[in-house]
Amino acid sequence: MERKVKLQITGMEKKYKNGDGVENINIDVYEGEFVTMLGPSGCGKSTILRTLGGFLDIDKGDILIDGQSVKDLPPEKRPTAMVFQSYNLWPHMTVYENLAFGLEIKKVPKNVIRSKIERGLKLVNMSGYEKKYPGQLSGGQQQRIAIARALAMNPDVMLFDEPTSALDPEMVGEVLELMKELAHSGMTMVVVTHEMGFAREVA
Ligand code: ADP
Ligand code: MG
């Protein structure tokens, strides 16, 4: 079976004002592939991931998804969703509101939002937590909610920036397990980490 390139980074350069950054980045990610970028702190992993998600503009090259350039699109117009090390849940919003927010911006009908959230929470094994606030959850639970929030946007490509680095060791397993399930379900995933063994654990 011929494999389809889902995400293509060609000749990409992103430099900060101080001259730090990344250059000559060329990566092909196939549909359904799980790609881990491993490297020491400061080598440019987050920079690359943020350019993919649309949180940073690039200086040279291009980023293609399904053959279409996305480099000039803002994050919400890209078929990507990002999961951060620090979860980035909105602390003043309930779990339900955290998941609903992006969908409301997209003007998804209320009843569709409700059913998407129900399904999403079930998938990450967090049904019944709709009314909780992030501060009432463990780190592992918060990260699973962040993953559910990303999934609810129906992304073609999911981006993970050190998704287990902020977790207590005993909670790493539950997030890795969820990522493994996603990978096996055919999701295209780009994960950056400085932890050796991460790829091996998820594969
Ligand atoms: P990693 O995620 O691999 O730890 P980063 O992509 O965060 O690396 O950083 C790559 C390089 O760019 C580092 O030298 C870092 O100090 C620098 N850098 C990151 N963000 C900024 C920024 N907003 N302004 C200036 N330099 C930055
Ligand atoms: Mg980083």
Side-chain angles (χ1 to χ4, degrees):
M1 203 174 75
E2 200 176 319
R3 292 205 303 168
K4 186 176 141 204
V5 176
K6 188 76 187 172
L7 167 70
Q8 198 167 28
I9 311 173
T10 60
M12 195 271 279
E13 177 173 318
K14 168 65 198 174
K15 287 282 165 70
Y16 299 102
K17 284 201 181 70
N18 61 3
D20 282 345
V22 298
E23 60 188 14
N24 197 24
I25 303 297
N26 296 281
I27 304 171
D28 284 355
V29 178
Y30 289 90
E31 191 161 59
E33 196 174 21
F34 182 101
V35 171
T36 308
M37 290 197 271
L38 175 69
S41 184
C43 76
K45 304 181 298 296
S46 294
T47 301
I48 294 174
L49 215 58
R50 288 194 195 116
T51 66
L52 298 180
F55 302 98
L56 276 180
D57 287 335
I58 62 176
D59 301 322
K60 281 188 196 164
D62 208 347
I63 296 166
L64 309 170
I65 295 178
D66 290 329
Q68 301 278 327
S69 175
V70 298
K71 76 180 168 67
D72 297 321
L73 298 178
E76 67 275 12
K77 294 264 167 66
R78 296 193 188 194
T80 52
M82 185 124 154
V83 174
F84 300 88
Q85 173 177 339
S86 49
Y87 330 131
N88 284 24
L89 297 174
W90 294 291
H92 60 289
M93 291 187 193
T94 63
V95 164
Y96 190 91
E97 290 162 350
N98 264 280
L99 266 68
F101 189 74
L103 297 165
E104 283 167 358
I105 286 180
K106 287 202 170 178
K107 305 244 186 297
V108 176
K110 283 242 179 309
N111 57 329
V112 178
I113 292 181
R114 182 159 292 281
S115 68
K116 266 180 174 292
I117 292 179
E118 225 166 77
R119 219 173 336 129
L121 289 179
K122 202 166 176 187
L123 200 77
V124 302
N125 212 6
M126 292 288 292
S127 300
Y129 284 81
E130 287 84 346
K131 294 202 169 80
K132 297 273 190 210
Y133 285 87
Q136 297 174 294
L137 306 177
S138 73
Q141 288 175 326
Q142 289 186 61
Q143 193 59 304
R144 276 152 52 202
I145 294 298
I147 292 172
R149 183 177 59 176
L151 269 173
M153 305 307 288
N154 280 341
D156 286 343
V157 179
M158 287 183 80
L159 310 169
F160 295 81
D161 193 351
E162 312 256 8
T164 61
S165 298
L167 298 174
D168 291 335
E170 69 271 21
M171 288 168 187
V172 169
E174 63 190 54
V175 171
L176 283 182
E177 202 49 47
L178 175 56
M179 291 176 67
K180 220 186 270 189
E181 276 173 38
L182 280 178
H184 290 160
S185 78
M187 179 60 73
T188 307
M189 298 162 77
V190 181
V191 185
V192 308
T193 178
H194 66 273
E195 292 168 82
M196 298 269 263
F198 189 101
R200 198 172 43 234
E201 279 185 67
V202 174

